[in-house]
Amino acid sequence: MSRAFLGLPGPPPRAPRDTGYLRGQRPFPSAAHAALEDSQQRRNLGKATGTIRDKRARMVEEVPDWERLRSAGAAIKADALARLPELLERFESAVTERGGVVHWARDAVEANEIVTRLVADRGADEVLKVKSMATQEIGLNEHLAAEGISAVETDLAELIVQLGGDRPSHILVPAIHRNRAEIRDIFLREMPGVDPDLDDDPRSLAEQARKYLRAKFMDARVAVSGANFGIADTGTLSVVESEGNGRMCLTMPETLVTVMGIEKLVPSFADLEVFLQLLPRSSTGERMNPYTSMWTGVTAGDGPREFHLVLLDNGRSATLADGVGREALRCIRCSACLNVCPVYERTGGKAYGSTYPGPIGAVLTPQLAGMHETRDDPNASLPYASSLCGACYDVCPVKIDIPSLLVELRHQHVERSRYTAEAAMMRAASLAMSSATRFTKAQRASRLGRVLGGSDGRITALPPPFAAWTSARDLPVPPRETFREWWESEQGRAAMARARREAERGEW
Amino acid sequence: MVNARDVVLGRVREALAAAPPRPVEIPRDYRRERGLSDQRRLDMVVDRLTEYGAGVYRCRAEETATTVAAALSDARRIVVPPGLDRSWLAEFSGSVEVDSGEFSVRALDEVDGVLTSSAVTCAETGTVFLDASSDQGRRALTLVPDLHVCVVELSSVVAGIPEAVAELEPTRPITMISGPSATSDIELDRVEGVHGPRTLRVVVRVDR
Amino acid sequence: MRVALFATCLGDSLFPEAVKATAILLTRLGQEVVFPPGQTCCGQMHVNTGYQADALPLVRNYAADFADESIDAVVAPSGSCVGSVRHQHGTVAEHHGTPALRERAGRAGGKTYELAEFLVDVLGVTDVGAYFPHRVTYHPTCHSLRMLRVGDKPLRLLRQVRALDLVTLPEAEQCCGFGGTFALKNSETSTAMLADKMRNITATDAEFCCAGDSSCLMHIGGGLSRLRTGVGTVHLAQILASTEQHVLAEPEVIV
């Protein structure tokens, strides 16, 4: 069935270009260049990702049905995506029945407007934030600031990033690129009322954050959160956290506004039995995170008197329209793929230029916000920011085949940007290798490369694009004889005959 | 004018129509019910609670009051939810206030601790579930005071997360607690004690 | 068994010693080794760089050469190419080819094995009578590890090699940074990964780093050579084909 038949102008739109954080300033290789030279960050990331990798591995090891849980998790999310329209409607009516107000946002612009209006209408000039990827994605804090409302991040790592005027670099631990000494400096410089004798013991730093935020929690009028899961059947939402800042924001204010991507739905409450096992072990490497809150609408005498839910599209329906790429919408934002990724470990998250870094970011960002036709769109470089080593797929709790998705996005990008020098080279290689006759001719031609080698058989410099190889690696000169030449040669026949004799005599 | 709701739902329908997904069968062959003995569940929950930095007290029903008093020994003034069994406090020498919703947040911040019951507990993860019943109180009650003492009946301790989730009434406000508040945000080192109660003590009653 | 050798384009053109070793080893183990001369390349570079449609002629060519019923098994000294044959050819055939090609590609892929897999799983041997008097560390390449799940099969083979001093590679399962065109498109990140791999290799004091993929060895070896570390690279097949009578003739590595 064609789209024209369905009466639509075109595929669902991607996230808008000018609002939010789903596109960097420059392509990945160039952003990575700077990151690779940041020795401090390299060390901080190496240490942190190494620690979390080990913790996760230990926690997963002790669960005998881990693979079965992964399969169930993947299937539950796939099922929810397949039935999304029906589940969204069910969810909306369940939330409404329990006293919540549901808003729909086509994109970041609309979501920002809705939240800002809700806050402004309540006369608040400050909102408390629970760490939320969705609100980061839409650039809510910046939009609120432009309207004279200050958003205070209450998650420790988000607070570090916010006070430092920095950008987050990790889904779970946005300040993973900072070490304790840097964090102490940021607090001393930026935190109102900071203890001037603050040391860099993580305990002291956490204590300082507690003191700073406690007064704010006591007086909170409006809080904004994201959600880890929304339960379609019951209208229940949940936030999974560690510090208690989430509980504070979900409990203390008069008004709670939750911004949730439409792909966060799972069908039934019982489905949480799978995700509450998969998420903490994958994410922080704990059997269970310290706190998980669940709420459904409003409850008299307990928590906020008003609850608003903003359901966000912002490129999700466009992602869903791709039968292959939609798999990325299963993501539960655990960040296990970041922690095992050898590319992420070295470049850090900011090189990806998006709220969603690492392997999942490299497949999610270009789908949410698009890879534009222009050759230097940073998002078009993301699917290539991987050696396809597959470590991400192995740890993904919902079995997103990230390497295959990366390859598929490369394919889509190539389809859209034909007639490049690379395309010509690939076409020529395909032609040369589609028949053995042409292939052997090419082999003979490449043997000319022997002249590039020095007397020691090393090639140390090649022209572009292969100069990128010889910038750090030698290449052996092509051998005098290819395998197939040897196979047909006297010498080759003799060697094979000798091996057959050895086999007969059982000599080996 | 078309509203955002219809637009978003329309896009989602069209997206699925553009590449119709196959129906999904959800495999539920993971562990859902483990018949662990009382002793196994007890050992496991004690081990897990201890590992995540919670204080653990084991007692028989008739020892509840003395055990609770021991768990509250460093608190002078505590608050309790209205439906809590007051006999648990028979040996507690400090002052006890009952929260019927009139306590301001700042007033809660002034008390030394809170004593509550619990809904269900998962042994494998050491997770206590509160569901805001009258013996557990509203959510702020177990959040603002710096010490939370929580009584758990062994009969309400289940082996795994699926068994625990099955016990919950979804629409109640639910709080899952696994140890005191903590953060790993600085170099991924776990530090206990941030915004939630910095001390969690669990009294496990092995019989009723 | 009648075993068809898939040399791979890289093995055939640049690293023939690993393919020769594979042919000799399989023959010595009593297999009838044939080399279908029409073979060229699995097309992995095209698929992984986004040129799926350009990979189609290569997928077709592979199926034409290897689907034939007279061939019992196809063996290649490359985890990565076998991974592509088994996991990508079906996709390419489905998206760009005909149902008939998909069926043929499936038949060819279904009997294609990486060398260590074939030795351990199909022939059921771990001691192939090899002799290699050197200190060696083994790098499990990503695709053999994660796409093919060869697990410890290469190590089980290496442990049986006489006079071989096998030393564990720290952080062995970390990618070396090759990744095909990744090494060109993101050459700096690739180099950073390679640097850590080389640090771990040199820390073992091994004479050789061994692996089951000539492509990864080309990358690792290129770095080790550039820094004049004096550590060589050698394909698993070359060690397994080395005997007291025929010690690895000419390590095709530049040291």
Side-chain angles (χ1 to χ4, degrees):
Chain A
M1 208 185 306
S2 74
R3 299 201 62 83
F5 180 79
L6 290 163
L8 275 177
R14 308 280 174 183
R17 235 191 136 108
D18 306 318
T19 301
Y21 293 97
L22 287 173
R23 179 173 273 104
Q25 302 293 319
R26 48 197 175 151
F28 186 84
S30 134
H33 172 80
L36 288 167
E37 289 184 345
D38 186 341
S39 313
Q40 173 87 72
Q41 177 175 295
R42 289 279 296 272
R43 179 163 168 73
N44 295 350
L45 281 170
K47 181 168 180 256
T49 54
T51 306
I52 192 89
R53 273 203 297 270
D54 294 347
K55 277 167 89 175
R56 179 206 160 272
R58 277 201 304 278
M59 279 303 124
V60 165
E61 185 102 330
E62 71 174 34
V63 182
D65 54 348
W66 184 254
E67 288 306 317
R68 280 171 276 159
L69 287 167
R70 284 179 80 208
S71 299
I76 292 167
K77 291 295 270 191
D79 174 48
L81 290 171
R83 299 191 286 134
L84 198 53
E86 159 207 342
L87 296 184
L88 279 168
E89 286 185 301
R90 192 183 307 169
F91 183 54
E92 178 189 37
S93 60
V95 172
T96 311
E97 266 169 39
R98 299 277 309 180
V101 182
V102 178
H103 310 257
W104 299 72
R106 281 166 270 217
D107 57 24
V109 176
E110 195 164 29
N112 284 335
E113 280 166 5
I114 293 168
V115 178
T116 308
R117 182 168 40 76
L118 288 170
V119 178
D121 286 355
R122 274 140 200 87
D125 59 4
E126 183 177 275
V127 294
L128 296 190
K129 293 272 314 288
V130 189
K131 189 177 129 37
S132 137
M133 301 308 293
T135 60
Q136 231 178 64
E137 169 191 326
I138 62 177
L140 177 64
N141 292 6
E142 292 73 8
H143 189 267
L144 287 170
E147 302 293 320
I149 299 162
S150 66
V152 179
E153 292 290 351
T154 63
D155 169 76
L156 179 53
E158 288 286 4
L159 180 65
I160 294 164
V161 167
Q162 189 177 42
L163 291 174
D166 201 356
R167 294 293 313 158
S169 72
H170 190 277
I171 289 175
L172 176 75
V173 197
I176 195 170
H177 57 289
R178 298 288 191 197
N179 67 16
R180 57 188 73 189
E182 294 173 288
I183 293 165
R184 170 179 171 269
D185 290 348
I186 292 169
F187 279 15
L188 285 176
R189 213 169 50 233
E190 304 291 342
M191 188 181 274
V194 70
D195 170 6
D197 297 324
L198 182 65
D199 63 40
D200 70 358
D201 180 342
R203 266 162 236 288
S204 317
L205 296 168
E207 169 68 20
Q208 186 66 55
R210 175 185 162 100
K211 276 191 193 138
Y212 169 67
L213 288 171
R214 195 131 185 112
K216 295 197 178 287
F217 288 135
M218 300 291 144
D219 299 327
R221 293 180 55 200
V222 183
V224 177
S225 84
N228 290 93
F229 304 102
I231 312 298
D233 281 353
T234 59
T236 306
L237 286 138
S238 77
V239 160
V240 175
E241 53 133 356
S242 294
E243 295 166 12
N245 64 308
R247 291 178 71 189
M248 287 283 182
C249 291
L250 300 171
T251 310
M252 313 291 260
E254 291 154 19
T255 304
L256 171 64
V257 182
T258 298
V259 181
M260 180 184 119
I262 52 173
E263 86 288 14
K264 294 275 142 216
L265 275 192
V266 294
S268 73
F269 189 79
D271 293 327
L272 287 175
E273 69 188 22
V274 174
F275 297 106
L276 291 176
Q277 296 190 71
L278 290 172
L279 182 54
R281 290 183 199 257
S282 298
S283 189
T284 48
E286 293 171 301
R287 291 195 185 95
M288 188 58 79
N289 50 290
Y291 300 131
T292 295
S293 298
M294 301 178 202
W295 73 99
T296 309
V298 290
T299 302
D302 189 343
R305 270 172 280 168
E306 266 191 276
F307 171 55
H308 294 267
L309 175 67
V310 181
L311 291 171
L312 177 72
D313 181 348
N314 207 39
R316 284 160 178 78
S317 55
T319 308
L320 188 66
D322 188 306
V324 180
R326 68 168 58 128
E327 195 175 317
L329 294 177
R330 288 190 213 149
C331 175
I332 57 171
R333 311 283 189 265
C334 73
S335 69
C337 64
L338 279 61
N339 300 330
V340 299
C341 178
V343 173
Y344 176 88
E345 181 184 340
R346 287 165 182 86
T347 64
K350 287 190 262 180
Y352 295 80
S354 161
T355 297
Y356 306 104
I360 187 64
V363 294
L364 202 50
T365 304
Q367 296 200 88
L368 291 175
M371 295 182 281
H372 287 279
E373 303 68 34
T374 48
R375 294 236 335 260
D376 51 1
D377 177 10
N379 279 358
S381 69
L382 293 180
Y384 300 93
S386 165
S387 66
L388 305 178
C389 82
C392 48
Y393 183 23
D394 270 13
V395 298
C396 178
V398 288
K399 287 188 162 177
I400 301 171
D401 184 353
I402 296 175
S404 294
L405 292 191
L406 288 165
V407 167
E408 169 63 22
L409 290 175
R410 292 175 185 186
H411 169 60
Q412 292 179 11
H413 175 238
V414 160
E415 290 286 292
R416 249 175 280 155
S417 48
R418 285 155 185 271
Y419 314 119
T420 60
E422 180 188 271
M425 214 183 300
M426 286 289 174
R427 175 59 51 84
S430 166
L431 190 66
M433 293 196 291
S434 55
S435 100
T437 323
R438 284 192 291 269
F439 182 53
T440 41
K441 272 189 199 142
Q443 283 179 323
R444 261 176 247 131
S446 75
R447 200 169 306 147
L448 297 173
R450 287 180 68 84
V451 303
L452 294 170
S455 56
D456 56 0
R458 277 182 245 255
I459 298 174
T460 56
L462 282 170
F466 304 105
W469 179 276
T470 46
S471 67
R473 314 152 189 89
D474 293 338
L475 194 69
V477 296
R480 281 182 200 87
E481 178 177 68
T482 63
F483 173 77
R484 68 180 70 216
E485 286 166 343
W486 175 85
W487 181 262
E488 294 297 336
S489 71
E490 277 302 314
Q491 202 197 354
R493 273 177 241 226
M496 291 304 288
R498 190 164 60 233
R500 274 191 291 273
R501 284 199 301 278
E502 284 167 344
E504 278 156 24
R505 289 191 237 126
E507 256 181 19
W508 59 276
Chain B
M1 203 184 104
V2 210
N3 63 40
R5 177 185 188 275
D6 295 344
V7 171
V8 173
L9 282 171
R11 286 175 186 171
V12 172
R13 284 199 185 92
E14 299 302 338
L16 291 169
R22 296 190 193 107
V24 184
E25 189 71 41
I26 296 162
R28 301 276 183 187
D29 54 353
Y30 52 86
R31 298 173 302 167
R32 297 183 92 177
E33 270 179 57
R34 269 166 278 173
L36 293 190
S37 68
D38 280 2
Q39 191 60 49
R40 289 280 308 280
R41 292 192 331 275
L42 177 63
D43 290 347
M44 197 186 268
V45 77
V46 168
D47 175 72
R48 304 300 147 90
L49 285 166
T50 310
E51 193 177 326
Y52 280 154
V56 186
Y57 298 73
R58 267 179 273 198
C59 72
R60 309 191 68 80
E62 71 262 23
E63 300 159 341
T64 309
T66 46
T67 314
V68 163
L72 285 169
S73 61
D74 47 358
R76 287 174 202 286
R77 190 165 155 256
I78 66 158
V79 60
V80 297
L84 190 86
D85 184 342
R86 297 296 298 272
S87 71
W88 292 357
L89 286 161
E91 300 290 325
F92 176 61
S93 58
S95 69
V96 177
E97 315 218 23
V98 180
D99 170 64
S100 304
E102 75 289 354
F103 263 81
S104 72
V105 175
R106 289 195 183 277
L108 283 177
D109 201 22
E110 300 291 306
V111 302
D112 299 325
V114 55
L115 172 69
T116 71
S117 177
S118 57
V120 59
T121 294
C122 169
E124 190 178 64
T125 59
T127 305
V128 178
F129 291 69
L130 305 180
D131 68 1
S133 297
S134 67
D135 57 354
Q136 297 154 46
R138 59 191 173 119
R139 287 171 287 171
L141 198 64
T142 47
L143 175 61
V144 181
D146 211 12
L147 165 69
H148 179 195
V149 176
C150 181
V151 177
V152 166
E153 308 286 347
L154 181 55
S155 60
S156 75
V157 177
V158 296
I161 287 293
E163 297 94 311
V165 170
E167 294 291 315
L168 299 172
E169 163 53 44
T171 52
R172 302 192 67 87
I174 294 163
T175 306
M176 296 167 56
I177 300 175
S178 311
S181 77
T183 183
S184 300
D185 280 354
I186 301 167
E187 299 179 16
L188 288 164
D189 270 351
R190 187 181 155 105
V191 172
E192 271 150 23
V194 199
H195 306 297
R198 284 181 286 190
T199 308
L200 173 68
R201 292 179 187 144
V202 179
V203 174
V204 186
R205 298 211 304 177
V206 297
D207 61 357
R208 234 179 217 286
Chain C
M1 283 175 94
R2 195 153 187 271
V3 179
L5 189 60
F6 175 43
T8 79
C9 64
L10 192 75
D12 186 6
S13 313
L14 269 183
F15 300 96
E17 294 306 322
V19 193
K20 291 180 201 174
T22 306
I24 290 168
L25 176 65
L26 293 175
T27 304
R28 208 182 270 154
L29 293 173
Q31 308 308 307
E32 182 194 350
V33 177
V34 297
F35 179 79
Q39 63 176 282
T40 57
C41 165
C42 67
Q44 181 183 200
M45 177 185 74
H46 287 92
V47 176
N48 284 353
T49 314
Y51 296 85
Q52 254 183 44
D54 289 325
L56 182 67
L58 309 182
V59 170
R60 202 183 284 134
N61 196 54
Y62 185 89
D65 279 306
F66 295 109
D68 197 281
E69 277 174 24
S70 68
I71 294 169
D72 298 316
V74 186
V75 176
S78 165
S80 174
C81 301
V82 171
S84 175
V85 168
R86 289 221 292 249
H87 296 278
Q88 295 180 331
H89 280 198
T91 312
V92 173
E94 187 178 335
H95 291 175
H96 307 276
T98 59
L101 175 61
R102 202 178 161 205
E103 188 274 324
R104 269 205 314 284
R107 247 189 304 137
K111 59 181 174 185
T112 302
Y113 299 89
E114 183 270 343
L115 177 63
E117 265 184 342
F118 183 75
L119 294 174
V120 176
D121 292 346
V122 181
L123 298 187
V125 291
T126 49
D127 185 350
V128 297
Y131 166 83
F132 194 73
H134 299 283
R135 188 172 167 90
V136 172
T137 192
Y138 173 74
H139 164 66
T141 62
C142 297
H143 291 175
S144 63
L145 195 67
R146 302 194 184 90
M147 270 177 117
L148 301 181
R149 307 276 168 201
V150 300
D152 67 344
K153 285 163 205 164
L155 287 169
R156 281 157 66 193
L157 289 157
L158 286 169
R159 282 190 206 111
Q160 300 297 327
V161 175
R162 274 169 274 294
L164 182 114
D165 178 11
L166 185 64
V167 47
T168 304
L169 178 64
E171 294 177 54
E173 296 188 358
Q174 282 258 329
C175 177
C176 75
F178 174 57
T181 45
F182 172 76
L184 301 177
K185 287 177 189 276
N186 281 283
S187 95
E188 291 181 282
T189 306
S190 163
T191 303
M193 289 159 69
L194 176 61
D196 290 339
K197 182 56 70 183
M198 291 197 291
R199 180 171 47 77
N200 285 318
I201 291 170
T202 51
T204 65
D205 265 335
E207 296 156 68
F208 291 99
C209 172
C210 161
D213 272 280
S214 293
S215 51
C216 307
L217 286 175
M218 174 173 75
H219 187 242
I220 295 169
L224 292 169
S225 160
R226 173 61 56 89
L227 296 183
R228 305 299 195 263
T229 57
V231 183
T233 48
V234 61
H235 194 284
L236 175 70
Q238 290 170 273
I239 293 182
L240 298 180
S242 175
T243 63
E244 285 187 62
Q245 290 75 38
H246 309 282
V247 182
L248 183 70
E250 174 198 349
E252 65 192 11
V253 290
I254 28 180
V255 176

